[in-house]
Amino acid sequence: MMEGIINLSNGVSYTGHWHGEKTECSGEMIFYTGMGNLLEFISDPAVKGKIVLATYPNILNCYIDQEKLESDDIQIAGLVIQQEYGEFSVSMKKWLTVFKEKCIPVMTGMDTRSIIKQLLKVGEVPITMKANVGDLISSAKQVKELSTSTYKTINSNGKTHVVLIDFFVKNSLIKWLIKSDYKITIVPAEVTAEKVKALKPDGIVFSGGTGNPSSYKNCYPEYREIAKEYPTMAFGLGHQILAEAFGAHVEKMKWGHRNFKHPIIHVESKEVYMSNQNHCYSVLEEGLEATGFIVSYQSIQDKSIEGLSHKIYPITTYQFHPDGKNPKLEKIIICAFSNQVKQAKGVNIYA
C-alpha cells in the first residue's frame, strides 16, 4: 500500500494510505459533514477543484447512482477519508475504481478528527496532497470549465419562460424548474440585458456556481438592468452576485456551509427549515439597507444571511438550493416567484 501525505498551509502534515496514480494535486481543503448524498456533493459545481475531507467514517459505503450527478462529472480534486484499507466493502472498491479512472486521488486511514480541528483554526486553506514516493508519474485531474458559452432551451413546451443565467448550474435546479413546468433558456454568465430582452422571458433565474462572486463584477450593470426589468430569483452564487451587484458587501467565510440539512429560519414567520447548502462566501448585513434588500432567511447556526427580498423590485434570492427534497420550503419559493411573474403580466393575485 502506497503512502500519501497532505501538507496544510500552516505547516502541519498528515500521512495515510494513497489510492490512485502517483500524482500530486493542490487546492482548497473543505470539509463535508454529511452522512450521505456524497455523489451529489462531489459533482456539485460549487466544489470544483476542492480537496474534500469527509468526516463520516463510512461515506463510501453507498451506491453510485448516475441520476444523482449535479454536473457531467465529479468536480473535486481529491478526497480524504477515515476508512481503513482493510475495511473496504464492495461499494467502496467501486468508488476507488471510479476515482482512479478519473485521476482523482483518495487518501484513507486519515485522522479526520485532527485535520478538521486544524481547519477550524485556520479555515478553508490551500493544501498539497501527493503520493509519498520518489518520482511522481502524472498530474492529478484538471477540472474542465462547466458553464455554457451557448444558448440552450430545455422543456420548450413549458407554460412559463425563464432565462437561466448560468454560473455553473446544478442539474437539480434544472429538474426542479422543469417539474414546475418552466421553459428554460440557459444563457452564458456574460449575457447582456439586450440579449435577454430579445428572448422575451417571463422571469429570470440566477444559478448557483463556484468561485468568488466578484469575478463577475464587470457584468454587474447588466445584471442590475435585467433584475429590475423582470421577476427574478437567484440561488447560491447567484444570490451573492445579485446582492453585490446592487451594492451589498460579500466576504469569504472562515469555513463554509456544506451540508444537505443546514437549519435556517424565515425571519418574518419564524418557521425553521432544513436547507441544502454548499458555499464559502456570505452576504453581509452591514450596508444592506442602502441596496433596497431586506433579509428574508437567516442561518440558525451563525446568523448569516440565507435569503433576501427587494423592497422595490420583484427580486428574491436564496443562499440555499432547491433540490426536490424539501417540498414545503421549495413550494414557498416557487409560489412566490410564480406570483411575481403573474403580477408582472397584469394578473390579479388573491389571497
Side-chain angles (χ1 to χ4, degrees):
M1 177 59 57
M2 195 185 315
E3 184 183 76
I5 185 169
I6 62 172
N7 296 303
L8 276 64
S9 60
N10 64 352
V12 178
S13 299
Y14 295 89
T15 58
H17 297 133
W18 181 274
H19 304 272
E21 301 296 339
K22 299 175 183 179
T23 60
E24 178 178 10
C25 67
S26 59
E28 193 174 55
M29 175 171 269
I30 63 175
F31 56 87
Y32 177 59
T33 58
M35 298 172 64
N37 299 100
L38 178 68
L39 187 55
E40 294 97 319
F41 183 77
I42 62 177
S43 62
D44 186 340
V47 298
K48 178 175 177 284
K50 308 288 188 183
I51 296 173
V52 173
L53 171 71
T55 62
Y56 185 62
N58 296 305
I59 194 69
L60 292 187
N61 290 342
C62 59
Y63 293 105
I64 301 173
D65 183 354
Q66 297 294 323
E67 290 296 315
K68 294 182 178 179
L69 283 169
E70 287 288 10
S71 62
D72 293 337
D73 202 358
I74 295 174
Q75 300 301 329
I76 62 173
L79 180 67
V80 177
I81 59 175
Q82 184 183 20
Q83 281 169 283
E84 292 284 355
Y85 177 73
E87 299 174 355
F88 284 7
S89 63
V90 173
S91 60
M92 187 171 180
K93 289 177 181 178
K94 288 181 179 178
W95 272 107
L96 291 177
T97 299
V98 169
F99 285 126
K100 186 173 182 179
E101 290 173 350
K102 295 181 179 296
C103 297
I104 300 172
V106 179
M107 286 184 63
T108 63
M110 301 297 292
D111 186 352
T112 55
R113 183 180 178 88
S114 176
I115 299 172
I116 204 169
K117 284 183 176 180
Q118 288 293 325
L119 295 181
L120 291 175
K121 291 179 183 177
V122 300
E124 295 178 350
V125 295
I127 72 160
T128 58
M129 172 178 172
K130 64 180 180 179
N132 197 12
V133 294
D135 297 315
L136 301 180
I137 63 174
S138 63
S139 298
K141 174 184 177 181
Q142 298 296 315
V143 183
K144 64 181 181 180
E145 290 299 316
L146 300 170
S147 66
T148 183
S149 58
T150 59
Y151 289 65
K152 180 181 179 181
T153 299
I154 299 174
N155 196 36
S156 58
N157 294 321
K159 66 179 181 180
T160 304
H161 181 208
V162 296
V163 165
L164 173 61
I165 301 178
D166 181 18
F167 300 105
F168 305 148
V169 62
K170 292 170 63 171
N171 289 336
S172 58
L173 177 59
I174 294 174
K175 292 176 182 178
W176 182 69
L177 291 171
I178 291 174
K179 186 177 180 181
S180 297
D181 201 19
Y182 283 95
K183 172 186 173 182
I184 308 163
T185 300
I186 302 177
V187 302
E190 294 77 17
V191 70
T192 64
E194 182 181 3
K195 290 182 178 179
V196 168
K197 291 175 183 178
L199 296 170
K200 301 185 185 306
D202 298 309
I204 307 295
V205 179
F206 284 66
S207 85
T210 182
N212 189 333
S214 297
S215 301
Y216 299 92
K217 189 165 290 186
N218 289 341
C219 299
Y220 284 0
E222 300 291 337
Y223 296 157
R224 285 195 301 272
E225 185 175 346
I226 293 168
K228 289 177 179 180
E229 183 75 18
Y230 301 98
T232 299
M233 65 176 171
F235 300 98
L237 179 67
H239 150 84
Q240 300 161 12
I241 287 172
L242 204 50
E244 198 167 67
F246 276 80
H249 301 292
V250 176
E251 72 172 5
K252 193 174 188 299
M253 306 165 75
K254 189 173 182 180
W255 55 81
H257 295 167
R258 306 189 187 277
N259 209 317
F260 286 78
K261 291 186 177 181
H262 187 92
I264 59 173
I265 186 168
H266 184 239
V267 174
E268 185 175 347
S269 69
K270 305 304 180 186
E271 290 197 32
V272 175
Y273 303 94
M274 292 297 182
S275 64
N276 175 354
Q277 300 193 23
N278 192 0
H279 66 99
C280 63
Y281 285 88
S282 179
V283 178
L284 300 182
E285 197 160 356
E286 179 184 356
L288 191 63
E289 185 176 353
T291 69
F293 280 110
I294 58 174
V295 179
S296 57
Y297 290 89
Q298 280 187 309
S299 167
I300 288 180
Q301 292 183 353
D302 60 13
K303 305 302 180 185
S304 60
I305 293 174
E306 300 290 354
L308 297 168
S309 60
H310 204 277
K311 292 183 286 187
I312 299 173
Y313 303 106
I315 305 170
T316 52
T317 73
Y318 308 95
Q319 182 60 78
F320 49 91
H321 299 269
D323 58 4
K325 298 177 181 178
N326 196 330
K328 185 176 181 181
L329 178 59
E330 291 169 15
K331 184 177 181 180
I332 292 172
I333 294 171
I334 203 68
C335 285
F337 181 66
S338 177
N339 286 340
Q340 288 175 336
V341 170
K342 290 175 181 177
Q343 288 173 341
K345 290 182 175 181
V347 178
N348 291 325
I349 304 298
Y350 301 98

